[in-house]
Amino acid sequence: QVQLVESGGGLVPTGGSLRLSCSASGRAFRSYALGWFRLAPGKDSEFVAVIDWTGTSTLYADAVKGRFTISRDSASNTAYLQMNSLKPEDTAVYYCNTGQIPVTRLPGPVWGQGTQVTVSS
């Protein structure tokens, strides 16, 4: 069974950068796509990015394309979300997600506990 733990959130000014990490337990993680979603106060959960199990195919939400980069390291069972040029509207709790194979905007069944990202204006 796969379990996910996020880290790397924090408070940054507009235009700043953060790198989120998602550490996974369980060898099955290497067979699944890995995605990031975010939840802001008063809004629905939003797809951010996803990467396939090989690490070669990615998909991004239009709102973050060109600013965020998703990657994964199968050797360490860790995935990353590099976030640059952050904006106040990026403020949210960011969740790591996995448990499915296709690269889609839909979440799989496994979620991390979330990490808070706050971008000050």
Side-chain angles (χ1 to χ4, degrees):
Q1 185 170 350
V2 179
Q3 292 183 316
L4 305 173
V5 177
E6 301 97 331
S7 61
L11 173 64
V12 294
T14 297
S17 298
L18 279 175
R19 189 175 80 157
L20 305 183
S21 298
C22 174
S23 179
S25 61
R27 288 186 296 175
F29 170 73
R30 299 176 184 175
S31 303
Y32 296 136
L34 187 287
W36 287 94
F37 292 76
R38 63 188 183 186
L39 182 62
K43 296 185 178 180
D44 293 331
S45 177
E46 180 185 17
F47 163 79
V48 176
V50 63
I51 189 167
D52 76 335
W53 70 275
T54 68
T56 59
S57 179
T58 59
L59 187 64
Y60 294 92
D62 289 344
V64 306
K65 198 174 296 182
R67 300 189 296 122
F68 291 10
T69 302
I70 189 170
S71 62
R72 69 190 297 169
D73 178 2
S74 295
S76 64
N77 265 10
T78 304
Y80 304 96
L81 185 69
Q82 177 66 45
M83 305 186 296
N84 299 326
S85 302
L86 283 162
K87 306 174 182 180
E89 50 264 44
D90 294 318
T91 294
V93 178
Y94 283 70
Y95 295 90
C96 185
N97 173 268
T98 193
Q100 61 179 9
I101 294 175
V103 174
T104 77
R105 289 179 168 85
L106 298 176
V110 182
W111 294 90
Q113 84 288 353
T115 185
Q116 176 71 47
V117 171
T118 303
V119 184
S120 60
S121 57

XYZ file of all heavy atoms in Angstrom, residues 15 25 49 65 69 78 92:
43
model
N 6.454 36.356 -6.657
C 7.637 36.212 -7.495
C 8.651 35.230 -6.963
O 9.621 34.904 -7.652
N 6.038 5.736 0.204
C 6.432 4.417 0.681
C 5.685 3.387 -0.137
O 4.551 3.615 -0.558
C 6.094 4.248 2.161
O 4.696 4.367 2.357
N -0.661 19.472 -11.649
C 0.260 18.828 -12.584
C 0.274 17.340 -12.313
O -0.074 16.891 -11.224
C 1.668 19.404 -12.436
N 1.258 26.505 -16.041
C 2.143 26.123 -17.147
C 3.197 27.199 -17.373
O 2.898 28.388 -17.407
C 1.305 25.919 -18.413
C 1.996 25.126 -19.501
C 1.020 24.868 -20.648
C -0.148 24.015 -20.232
N -1.069 23.716 -21.341
N 7.164 23.049 -12.433
C 7.739 21.876 -13.071
C 7.601 20.680 -12.149
O 8.030 20.735 -10.993
C 9.215 22.086 -13.402
O 9.366 23.222 -14.250
C 9.781 20.859 -14.113
N 10.568 9.609 -4.649
C 10.218 10.986 -4.318
C 9.799 11.733 -5.575
O 10.399 11.545 -6.638
C 11.403 11.715 -3.665
O 11.837 10.980 -2.530
C 11.002 13.114 -3.236
N -2.549 28.033 -1.325
C -3.435 26.872 -1.167
C -2.706 25.805 -0.356
O -1.501 25.909 -0.118
C -3.831 26.310 -2.529
